[in-house]
Amino acid sequence: MKQVVQNYKSGELAVLDVPVPGCKPGGVLVRSAYSLISTGTELMKVSEAGMSMVGKARSRPDQVAKVMQSVATNGVPATYRKVMGKLDSYTPLGYSLCGVVEQVGAGIDDVKVGDLVACAGNEHALHAELNWVPKNLYAPVPDGIAPRHAAFGTVGSIALQGVRRGEPQLGDVALVIGLGLIGQLVVQLLAASGVRVVGVDPDPVRCELAERLGAAVCGDPASAAVEAAVAELTGGHGVDQVYLAAGGGSNQPVELAARLSRDRGRVVDIGKCRLDLPWNAYYEKELDVRFSRSYGPGRYDPEYEIEGRDYPIGYVRWTERRNLACFLDLLARGRVDVEPLVSHTAGFDDAVETYRRLKDGDLKAVAVLFRYPEQAVEAEAPSIAVPAVKVQRSPGRAATRTPVKLAFVGAGNYATSMLLPHLAQRDGVELSAVVTTTALSAANAQRKFGFAEATTDLDAVLGDTSIDAVFVVTRHSSHAELTRRALLAGKAVFVEKPLALTEDELTGVLAAVEESGNDRLQVGFNRRFAPLLNEARKRFGARTGPASLRYLVNAGRLQHGSWYLRQGTEGSRFAGEGGHFIDTASWLLAADPVSVYAVATSGNEDLQVVLRYPDGSTATLSYVTTGPGSFPKETLDLVADGKVLRLDDFVRASVYGRKRWVSSRLPKARDKGQSAELAAFIKAVRTGGPMPVPLESLVATTAATVAVQAGLAGGAPVMLERAR
């Protein structure tokens, strides 16, 4: 299928061929009929992409701050790879469309194949021929609404939520500053609510359009007619609400809002304009400044948007989906008219030229629609069944082909910044296929790393007898099941941590090993492969007595909205990455833990985990999220037999004993072992030799990580005899 994409680094716009997205449970696959260009948000993004790197940095100081924090934590090279990987990737455009349901996922019963739906979301209602849309981000289109009009649903919801934030009442007077697409819809919604509207925009054509659609008076922001109209309509008191629907870098909108508002009026920011509030003006009138967050309650909440958990109507009357349905109802009853807003309709194949004309100013438009061809390539739904044909290869047998052929399931940030760069140019390796649930991420990985195939069909890849090994680099909740399926298909498997989130998941993986006779498994516990730590371990030498190990992990806080916070589906944060640190401790102590004791501070995820080993050694892991970002992420001390090994965040190591050893110079980058780990895995697959880490050790580390949560719940040590 085809999709409109943009490369944020180069500014390139393209209509790209990408795999068809799969129809996952909890949503529907929709074939687009019309999608709407947001002439504000999207053109801002397109314009930013055309800037120099310095210009991009100036336009997004928030992102620059994140980059600097990453440099402090991960070093310059790793941060550079991550940033360049994100910049030099195709990103999608679009978030408002109307289309026909082509396939219905499990758990959906409110629509059927062939129904017309309006769809929302900058990850799900893209300028693409097909989109997978979760339940709370689509709404059925009432009879009588043309698909081109229903495509306005998301943008209409943004305007509707802004109006709701203003809390207008019958007889109020409102000022709408900015009469672009959102502003024109706000004018109509206010007029339909019995509010008299004054509009402001420097473009006389837009002012005339707003007056035709219900505004009492519109004019230039510097026009005396605007102030005179406000004075006449309000008896000199000022407007009840001001809706900021303007963009740009001028502070004029917020200054005008203060001047024309009544005492204790409300100012609602819907667009993205400069907000240097004149303190005296806002203080003296005690103005109530409010922000309108996109389409309504539920926005940016993954449990609502992705997992389909609705808010009870008694507590949240107007959610994203209810706003979308409400706007469609207003269209159906003729209370809102979007046809006069359509300045241009372009064929989907002309998308790049349309964006160019908009950016260059050749096309003056309020709203622009893409029209999609009625006939397109049919989507093929991937099956979730375990492949019937398994690769019959005994464990330990060498690959029969050179090079070793690899498939990746997942192509997120970690895969593209920390794994694939080490594999793409490695001799004796062929990147055969990349599988993702979103079409564009697979296409990006194929373009950047040279995969022979990009697809959303996992079954086809698992059934491909030419593929020797599968990398599972997806979200945590899917690791165990994908690993199980790949093992049953006879593949060698490299799965990023964690291997499993629960005891049942771990049991399922081991059952697959037993059923298939295939134990060719590696978990991405890379620290034990780090060159600096290996050198320090060698310098420390053998020990005779019990050891005491302290490992401080300054994990830092997660950004709001991070999928790591979805504990209900993805497990706790420690469950996701704690295996790294348990594995490192066990490797240094050359044993697997026999018990786990865990305690947590009240109200956050700061943990103290004590591991006990067969010879009496102990390891204490302090996993904290409240430390400063300026402090190193990982520090480790191992004490035994009158010696101390110290590791400082993989940039410096030292051993104290009869002789003191300190790493001679700082490495160029924090090498946490990914390259060496991958080399060891590829060698094992190619030669048929043992996996880099024994399966028993992988199981013991996973069981200990799972036991942390049980220990927190029970308040007592958890014994691990069965995991030994």
Side-chain angles (χ1 to χ4, degrees):
M1 73 166 191
K2 293 181 178 180
Q3 179 174 353
V4 179
V5 297
Q6 179 181 40
N7 185 296
Y8 195 72
K9 179 182 178 182
S10 66
E12 174 200 4
L13 283 162
V15 177
L16 197 67
D17 284 318
V18 299
V20 172
C23 187
K24 296 178 286 186
V28 295
L29 192 66
V30 177
R31 183 173 296 282
S32 301
Y34 288 88
S35 61
L36 177 69
I37 295 180
S38 171
T39 49
T41 303
E42 289 186 55
L43 286 189
M44 178 179 66
K45 184 177 179 180
V46 169
S47 297
E48 283 183 1
M51 296 177 179
S52 65
M53 294 300 290
V54 173
K56 290 183 175 74
R58 287 175 175 170
S59 68
R60 294 299 304 273
D62 56 326
Q63 296 299 319
V64 173
K66 292 178 183 178
V67 169
M68 298 309 296
Q69 180 60 60
S70 179
V71 168
T73 303
N74 301 311
V76 173
T79 300
Y80 178 82
R81 287 196 303 270
K82 183 176 181 179
V83 172
M84 288 299 105
K86 284 188 174 182
L87 288 177
D88 193 21
S89 296
Y90 285 124
T91 59
L93 293 171
Y95 61 83
S96 187
L97 67 81
C98 176
V100 177
V101 174
E102 183 142 313
Q103 189 175 339
V104 176
I108 299 298
D109 57 10
D110 60 340
V111 293
K112 61 183 183 302
V113 173
D115 285 352
L116 192 67
V117 291
C119 307
N122 61 355
E123 295 180 353
H124 304 286
L126 309 172
H127 297 311
E129 290 180 317
L130 287 152
N131 286 278
W132 179 80
V133 188
K135 180 174 183 176
N136 282 338
L137 292 179
Y138 69 78
V141 176
D143 293 340
I145 299 181
R148 60 191 268 113
H149 296 163
F152 281 77
T154 308
V155 177
S157 297
I158 294 172
L160 185 57
Q161 176 64 14
V163 170
R164 293 194 195 285
R165 293 289 292 145
E167 299 181 26
Q169 299 184 43
L170 286 168
D172 279 355
V173 178
L175 179 70
V176 179
I177 302 178
L179 297 175
L181 178 55
I182 296 293
Q184 297 286 347
L185 292 169
V186 169
V187 166
Q188 293 193 61
L189 291 168
L190 288 169
S193 302
V195 175
R196 291 173 293 175
V197 183
V198 177
V200 173
D201 197 285
D203 186 340
V205 175
R206 292 185 173 184
C207 287
E208 189 275 332
L209 176 60
E211 288 180 348
R212 284 197 288 119
L213 294 175
V217 178
C218 295
D220 187 278
S223 169
V226 171
E227 295 199 31
V230 169
E232 180 181 349
L233 291 171
T234 66
H237 295 295
V239 298
D240 299 286
Q241 306 109 40
V242 178
Y243 298 88
L244 299 175
S250 171
N251 206 47
Q252 186 185 47
V254 296
E255 294 171 3
L256 182 63
R259 190 164 70 248
L260 297 184
S261 285
R262 65 164 168 82
D263 187 59
R264 293 179 176 83
R266 289 184 286 276
V267 179
V268 182
D269 181 31
I270 306 175
K272 189 178 181 181
C273 64
R274 186 175 174 182
L275 288 175
D276 292 339
L277 302 181
W279 188 87
N280 283 336
Y282 277 72
Y283 172 80
E284 289 171 1
K285 288 187 175 181
E286 200 175 346
L287 296 178
D288 183 356
V289 180
R290 301 181 177 185
F291 288 85
S292 179
R293 191 168 65 183
S294 201
Y295 332 142
R299 188 71 179 107
Y300 309 113
D301 178 356
E303 291 191 358
Y304 177 89
E305 293 191 323
I306 307 300
E307 298 174 21
R309 299 183 184 178
D310 198 4
Y311 303 147
I313 195 169
Y315 292 88
V316 183
R317 176 63 183 94
W318 293 108
T319 60
E320 280 184 274
R321 194 181 200 218
R322 292 173 194 140
N323 273 338
L324 182 58
C326 179
F327 184 78
L328 294 173
D329 177 68
L330 291 170
L331 281 175
R333 292 190 289 120
R335 299 303 179 90
V336 177
D337 185 6
V338 296
E339 183 59 34
L341 306 180
V342 180
S343 307
H344 182 70
T345 300
F348 182 59
D349 291 338
D350 296 328
V352 172
E353 176 63 15
T354 302
Y355 275 110
R356 185 200 65 76
R357 292 178 61 197
L358 286 167
K359 179 184 176 183
D360 295 345
D362 298 337
L363 177 60
K364 303 290 185 181
V366 174
V368 175
L369 291 165
F370 287 139
R371 180 181 59 251
Y372 291 76
E374 294 183 5
Q375 300 297 325
V377 178
E378 292 185 2
E380 294 182 2
S383 171
I384 62 171
V386 176
V389 179
K390 301 180 179 64
V391 180
Q392 298 299 321
R393 183 173 60 221
S394 60
R397 178 180 172 184
T400 59
R401 293 165 295 277
T402 301
V404 175
K405 295 188 176 183
L406 308 179
F408 263 66
V409 183
N413 286 337
Y414 189 82
T416 56
S417 64
M418 303 306 297
L419 298 181
L420 283 167
H422 295 297
L423 292 169
Q425 304 302 322
R426 187 179 293 273
D427 291 338
V429 169
E430 179 180 317
L431 300 178
S432 295
V434 56
V435 186
T436 63
T437 57
T438 57
L440 188 54
S441 58
N444 272 323
Q446 183 182 36
R447 180 182 69 90
K448 292 173 65 175
F449 299 106
F451 281 96
E453 179 188 7
T455 180
T456 58
D457 190 346
L458 175 61
D459 285 343
V461 171
L462 293 181
D464 186 345
T465 58
S466 71
I467 291 175
D468 301 300
V470 172
F471 280 70
V472 176
V473 201
T474 53
R475 292 189 176 179
H476 300 160
S477 60
S478 61
H479 284 191
E481 174 61 16
L482 291 172
T483 299
R484 189 187 68 81
R485 293 176 63 185
L487 288 170
L488 290 171
K491 310 298 184 186
V493 180
F494 183 108
V495 56
E496 253 312 311
K497 49 78 195 164
L499 171 60
L501 291 173
T502 66
E503 186 177 353
D504 287 344
E505 287 185 353
L506 181 57
T507 300
V509 172
L510 295 178
V513 171
E514 182 177 356
E515 178 183 343
S516 64
N518 177 15
D519 64 353
R520 310 293 286 164
L521 176 64
Q522 170 66 16
V523 182
F525 298 142
N526 51 275
R527 266 72 166 172
R528 65 163 67 202
F529 296 92
L532 190 61
L533 189 54
N534 272 271
E535 177 66 18
R537 186 192 191 208
K538 178 181 177 182
R539 298 276 183 174
F540 186 87
R543 62 180 175 85
T544 57
S548 176
L549 185 147
R550 179 200 66 87
Y551 202 149
L552 173 61
V553 182
N554 181 33
R557 296 188 182 277
L558 292 173
Q559 297 179 22
H560 175 72
S562 170
W563 63 267
Y564 267 87
L565 296 172
R566 303 180 195 172
Q567 294 196 23
T569 55
E570 302 298 336
S572 70
R573 190 176 177 190
F574 186 84
E577 68 174 350
H580 268 320
F581 318 120
I582 293 175
D583 177 76
T584 304
S586 298
W587 171 72
L588 284 169
L589 297 174
D592 295 326
V594 295
S595 72
V596 175
Y597 178 65
V599 293
T601 56
S602 177
N604 58 40
E605 293 190 16
D606 288 6
L607 305 178
Q608 301 293 323
V609 179
V610 180
L611 304 167
R612 187 167 60 85
Y613 289 83
D615 67 349
S617 296
T618 60
T620 302
L621 308 181
S622 298
Y623 185 86
V624 298
T625 63
T626 53
S630 57
F631 190 79
K633 181 179 179 181
E634 297 178 44
T635 53
L636 180 152
D637 297 298
L638 172 65
V639 183
D641 301 339
K643 299 178 289 186
V644 177
L645 180 156
R646 180 171 179 82
L647 176 73
D648 292 303
D649 212 23
F650 298 90
V651 296
R652 192 174 184 85
S654 52
V655 174
Y656 297 80
R658 289 186 178 181
K659 295 181 179 180
R660 180 185 176 191
W661 170 81
V662 180
S663 54
S664 58
R665 61 185 178 86
L666 295 179
K668 294 181 180 180
R670 289 177 177 84
D671 187 343
K672 296 185 180 180
Q674 284 92 350
S675 180
E677 175 189 36
L678 293 170
F681 176 74
I682 296 301
K683 179 180 178 181
V685 175
R686 182 172 57 248
T687 64
M691 285 285 108
V693 181
L695 179 61
E696 294 77 12
S697 177
L698 300 178
V699 172
T701 295
T702 303
T705 308
V706 172
V708 168
Q709 194 62 38
L712 290 173
V718 178
M719 305 307 294
L720 296 172
E721 287 89 348
R722 294 175 60 188
R724 293 178 60 184

